[in-house]
Amino acid sequence: MKQFIAGLPKAELHLHIEGTFEPELMFKLAERNGITLPYESVEALHKAYDFSQLQDFLDIYYQGMNVLRTEQDFYDLTWAYLEKVAKEAVRHVEIFYDPQGHVDRGVSFETALNGIHSALVQGEKEFGISFGIIMCFLRHLDEDAAFGTLDSALAHKDKIIGVGLDSSEMGHPPSKFERVFAKARDEGFHIVAHAGEEGPPEYIVEALDLLNVERVDHGNTCLQDPELVKRLVKEQIPLTVCPLSNTKLCVVDDMKNHPLPEMLKLGLKAMINSDDPAYFGGYLNENYEAVSGILGDDKETLALLAKNSFTSAFISQDAKDGFVAEVEAYIKG
Ligand code: HPA
Ligand code: ZN
């Protein structure tokens, strides 16, 4: 099954590029930038990756991204990710990044964006991985700050395809950003939001009704609300599920209890993603492997998840059809 997963063509739709910052690269860039990390070694940093909730992770994630200073740093970070997933049959990526996490510490909007974007352009040339960039608003910050970030993005619509919402969910419902997302929609950006990772199903309803999301990132808690499930099934709203993230952040107590099989049984359009792989113990293939057992090691179901990843992407119908045909050819083998 491991080999089948390794060769299965797939897309990644929920991936924070800052969450791919491996300790080895973090130490290397810290040295390059003359920054002293509060950890003695790669091993000591690894040991700190022990989280009991989302906020524990976020504290370390923001500390880690502080090492990223130059356009070259963002390029190197993105390139390291692409080199890795090029070997995992990943054909298309839609990458999140947190501009406010950089601008607020003095790194310009363009520095981060250009570094990430030029690596993705090179990755498409060298590895044939197509891409989109989605910038996320940090929901623990206020509406004004999000408006300012959206303004900065308007000059870069050639590089940014969508806007999302991430960071600390509890106490920061989607409604806080209704007006910002209305403007982003008017400006033609695709719309997604993290909802229902730790937050209640009401936050998912708000993401749908007030933000008009095209996909829900995570969405786990929808299962507490049968009416919401019915709606998500009827409208076939994609849920970008992240199995290893869920167990690492204690959203799910044990992988054997992961809700993905139930989600599929109910007819929800879910697929598998890696979220912050450097922190959660695995990239896309490891996430597929983690849930393969509870899905009955069933190739058809794994292929369905891969197809869902492509049909949920912000790409043309032709591109979707091409990728789905590739998955079908692969399983016929
Ligand atoms: N949830 C919320 N915010 C995030 C995450 C996540 O899983 N990863 C990076 N920022
Ligand atoms: Zn996420």
Side-chain angles (χ1 to χ4, degrees), residues 123-232:
E124 181 154 30
K125 264 193 225 151
E126 230 170 275
F127 306 128
I129 301 174
S130 53
F131 69 87
I133 297 176
I134 298 172
M135 71 164 196
C136 290
F137 301 118
L138 297 181
R139 67 200 310 156
H140 67 274
L141 301 179
D142 63 20
E143 184 196 35
D144 266 2
F147 266 121
T149 306
L150 181 57
D151 277 345
S152 302
L154 296 180
H156 302 287
K157 284 190 188 173
D158 56 330
K159 297 192 176 82
I160 297 173
I161 64 161
V163 301
L165 187 64
D166 68 1
S167 191
S168 321
E169 187 178 8
M170 292 305 284
H172 303 286
S175 51
K176 183 175 164 185
F177 298 97
E178 181 176 359
R179 298 188 301 179
V180 185
F181 276 77
K183 179 164 183 203
R185 255 189 348 266
D186 285 347
E187 292 287 350
F189 289 105
H190 285 291
I191 304 292
V192 298
H194 284 54
E197 181 182 20
E198 288 185 340
E202 290 76 24
Y203 283 21
I204 301 174
V205 174
E206 282 193 8
L208 293 167
D209 289 342
L210 305 181
L211 308 188
N212 279 288
V213 293
E214 297 163 76
R215 300 193 294 246
V216 173
D217 295 313
H218 293 294
N220 297 46
T221 62
C222 75
L223 296 171
Q224 298 167 16
D225 179 348
E227 283 308 309
L228 174 58
V229 168
K230 257 192 230 162
R231 175 179 180 187
L232 291 166

Side-chain angles (χ1 to χ4, degrees), residues 14-16 96 166 194 197 217-218 242 245 275-276 280:
H14 185 155
L15 181 277
H16 303 263
F96 293 139
D166 68 1
H194 284 54
E197 181 182 20
D217 295 313
H218 293 294
C242 305
S245 166
D275 209 2
D276 301 279
F280 300 152

